[in-house]
């Protein structure tokens, strides 16, 4: 089939745009991430004198970095429409966010749609696969205090012990409020066949759009972060209780990400922008943590039910293009998530100005020394 001149021109424009976007992303990373690290190095005396103020500033810088990632997708036309419960109502409370996982773009989508949820972005902790530690953003996540978890049965028990220790050491000492995890333990395309075989063997529902979740990390988080008055056990040890007057984990936010036609966006698409503008749909359900069982078997059943409900939600979405209404509603209500272009440009400008400032500082000291 012959390629027309118009088609060739369109392909050429797409490739040029992708190349320019990639160059901008590289430059963005080269100035923003080192600037984040250098600012925090300079502020180390403040960390000793006033740890709360130090982590407040770090959180603001962290939110700005996530906004830069969000801007790459936003300017490519990858937007978000939200459904279900309004999570802004619980943005000042502690919450655990459970998310289905389809592709690397899921994280970018969350970085975008949580930008307008108050203080959430700067005070959240992420649980992610250990491979992300070796990406360009790994140093930022390490400093921020995110937890990198190794997958696989051989590492499972040890990783859960390390997660508990990590939460006790960093979660409240750094004033974290939301913790985000992907209980499926991997991408849908990689885990679906194994999950379906497990479901068949154990007489569990056959799922196509999600996989059966793993319970270990969820159980550790609940045991460690739920306040004593809610489950009758110490919340993360005496040291944590003494250093914080927190009410403990109060909510579980069940988050379901849906892409049109079930075609997820990956990080390469997010960066290069070669896919046509796409609206990603995000559905929230909020559960009081007091309604979540603590006993392992009951918790497993409860978590399985959430993902069975996700399956129903996604089936409805792929059939109709919309999520079903909440209980008590006659019609599902959606909310278009928006970002301010002026704000994004301001943050990007600040990043490049910071990079220039640090370069001038190093040049000055270099000439003074040599």
């Amino acid at each position: 089939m012959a390629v027309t001149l118009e088609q060739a021109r369109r392909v050429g424009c797409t490739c040029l745009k992708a190349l320019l976007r990639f160059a901008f992303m590289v430059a963005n990373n080269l100035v923003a991430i080192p600037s984040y690290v250098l600012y925090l190095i300079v502020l180390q005396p403040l960390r000793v004198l006033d740890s709360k103020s130090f982590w407040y500033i770090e959180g603001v810088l962290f939110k700005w970095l996530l906004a830069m990632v969000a801007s790459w997708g936003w300017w490519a036309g990858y937007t978000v429409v939200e459904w279900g419960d309004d999570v802004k109502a619980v943005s000042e409370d502690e919450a655990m966010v459970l998310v289905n996982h389809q592709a690397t773009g899921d994280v970018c989508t969350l970085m975008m749609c949580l930008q307008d949820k108050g203080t959430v972005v700067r005070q959240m902790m992420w649980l992610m696969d250990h491979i992300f530690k070796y990406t360009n953003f790994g140093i930022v996540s390490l400093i921020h205090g995110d937890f990198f978890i190794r997958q696989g049965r051989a590492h499972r028990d040890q990783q859960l012990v390390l997660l508990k220790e990590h939460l006790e050491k960093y979660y409240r000492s750094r004033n974290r409020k939301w913790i985000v995890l992907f209980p499926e333990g991997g991408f849908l395309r990689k885990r679906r066949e194994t999950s379906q075989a497990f479901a068949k063997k154990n007489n569990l529902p056959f799922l196509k759009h999600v996989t059966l979740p793993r319970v270990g990390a969820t159980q550790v988080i609940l045991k460690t972060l739920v306040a004593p008055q809610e489950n009758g056990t110490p919340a993360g040890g005496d040291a944590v209780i003494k250093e914080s007057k927190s009410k403990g984990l109060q909510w579980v936010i069940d988050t379901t990400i849906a892409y049109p036609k079930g075609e997820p966006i990956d990080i390469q698409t997010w960066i290069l922008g070669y896919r046509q503008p796409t609206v990603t749909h995000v559905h929230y359900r909020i559960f009081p943590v007091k309604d979540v069982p603590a006993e392992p078997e009951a918790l497993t059943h409860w978590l399985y039910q959430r993902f069975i409900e996700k399956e129903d939600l996604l089936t409805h979405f792929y059939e109709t293009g919309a999520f079903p209404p909440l209980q008590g509603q006659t019609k599902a209500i959606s909310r278009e998530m928006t970002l301010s272009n002026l704000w994004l440009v301001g943050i990007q400008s600040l990043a490049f100005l910071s990079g220039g400032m640090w370069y001038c500082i190093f040049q000055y000291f270099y000439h003074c020394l040599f």
Side-chain angles (χ1 to χ4, degrees):
M1 182 178 177
V3 177
T4 66
L5 182 62
E6 180 62 29
Q7 289 173 326
R9 186 183 294 113
R10 191 179 301 117
V11 171
C13 288
T14 300
C15 291
L16 178 61
K17 183 179 72 172
L19 183 62
L20 292 173
R21 283 176 57 89
F22 181 75
F24 175 79
M25 184 276 295
V26 171
N28 202 177
N29 276 273
L30 288 175
V31 295
I33 293 177
S35 292
Y36 166 88
V37 174
L38 290 168
Y39 276 127
L40 296 182
I41 290 174
V42 170
L43 288 171
Q44 285 304 303
L46 178 63
R47 182 177 181 179
V48 176
L49 297 172
D50 187 351
S51 177
K52 185 176 180 181
S53 295
F54 174 85
W55 289 113
Y56 175 87
I57 295 171
E58 184 278 333
V60 172
L61 295 175
F62 184 78
K63 178 177 179 177
W64 290 353
L65 285 177
L66 266 59
M68 292 177 201
V69 176
S71 73
W72 305 339
W74 181 258
W75 288 333
Y78 305 147
T79 57
V80 172
V81 167
E82 298 176 310
W83 304 74
D85 294 326
D86 185 0
V87 297
K88 288 183 181 179
V90 299
S91 63
E92 295 303 313
D93 298 332
E94 289 187 28
M96 175 173 62
V97 184
L98 307 174
V99 192
N100 63 313
H101 208 9
Q102 300 174 70
T104 48
D106 298 340
V107 175
C108 301
T109 296
L110 288 174
M111 288 180 178
M112 176 186 287
C113 64
L114 296 180
Q115 282 291 322
D116 67 344
K117 306 300 186 292
T119 62
V120 162
V121 176
R122 65 177 177 82
Q123 292 181 283
M124 70 195 322
M125 178 181 286
W126 297 74
L127 264 66
M128 58 188 76
D129 192 280
H130 79 287
I131 197 67
F132 284 99
K133 185 188 299 185
Y134 308 105
T135 65
N136 61 313
F137 214 77
I139 183 64
V140 174
S141 290
L142 280 169
I143 294 172
H144 184 69
D146 296 329
F147 183 77
F148 299 94
I149 190 165
R150 292 182 66 90
Q151 303 294 342
R153 186 174 300 177
H155 307 286
R156 194 168 299 160
D157 292 340
Q158 180 194 31
Q159 290 299 296
L160 295 179
V161 172
L162 292 174
L163 173 59
K164 183 177 187 300
E165 293 173 352
H166 186 89
L167 293 173
E168 291 175 344
K169 185 174 182 181
Y170 297 118
Y171 188 81
R172 294 211 170 91
S173 67
R174 298 185 181 184
N175 195 28
R176 301 294 175 243
K177 287 188 176 180
W178 282 23
I179 183 165
V180 181
L181 68 154
F182 300 89
E184 290 166 296
F187 299 139
L188 173 64
R189 68 179 186 277
K190 293 183 176 181
R191 290 211 62 243
R192 178 160 41 199
E193 187 175 337
T194 302
S195 175
Q196 289 173 346
F198 177 84
K200 183 177 181 180
K201 182 179 179 181
N202 292 275
N203 197 29
L204 293 167
F206 184 86
L207 307 177
K208 295 189 297 181
H209 306 306
V210 295
T211 65
L212 289 169
R214 293 168 177 172
V215 185
T218 304
Q219 187 174 17
V220 168
I221 291 168
L222 290 172
K223 282 187 174 182
T224 308
L225 300 182
V226 173
Q229 65 269 22
E230 292 176 311
N231 71 349
T233 59
D238 293 340
V240 175
I241 295 172
K242 288 178 182 178
E243 76 177 48
S244 174
K245 296 181 180 179
S246 168
K247 295 178 182 178
L249 204 67
Q250 295 171 267
W251 309 99
V252 175
I253 302 174
D254 187 27
T255 303
T256 304
I257 299 176
Y259 298 95
K261 299 179 182 179
E263 298 174 355
I265 297 175
D266 55 28
I267 188 64
Q268 299 96 317
T269 307
W270 192 270
I271 292 170
L272 300 177
Y274 50 77
R275 182 167 166 175
Q276 290 297 310
T278 302
V279 179
T280 301
H281 297 258
V282 181
H283 184 279
Y284 306 104
R285 285 194 68 196
I286 302 174
F287 297 89
V289 77
K290 61 183 177 61
D291 295 340
V292 180
E295 195 274 326
E297 187 174 342
L299 175 61
T300 300
H301 176 74
W302 185 89
L303 196 57
Y304 280 2
Q305 285 302 119
R306 301 290 73 77
F307 276 77
I308 292 169
E309 289 172 6
K310 284 180 184 292
E311 177 78 9
D312 294 338
L313 286 171
L314 290 168
T315 298
H316 189 280
F317 177 84
Y318 294 139
E319 290 175 353
T320 66
F323 283 111
L326 293 172
Q327 188 174 4
Q329 292 181 347
T330 57
K331 182 181 179 181
I333 300 172
S334 63
R335 304 173 295 276
E336 186 175 350
M337 186 265 162
T338 60
L339 289 175
S340 167
N341 285 313
L342 182 61
W343 179 62
L344 293 176
V345 169
I347 290 174
Q348 295 284 8
S349 301
L350 181 62
F352 283 101
L353 287 171
S354 294
M357 179 193 72
W358 289 116
Y359 176 77
C360 291
I361 290 173
F362 280 116
Q363 284 288 96
Y364 173 79
F365 281 106
Y366 177 82
H367 288 301
C368 288
L369 293 173
F370 300 101

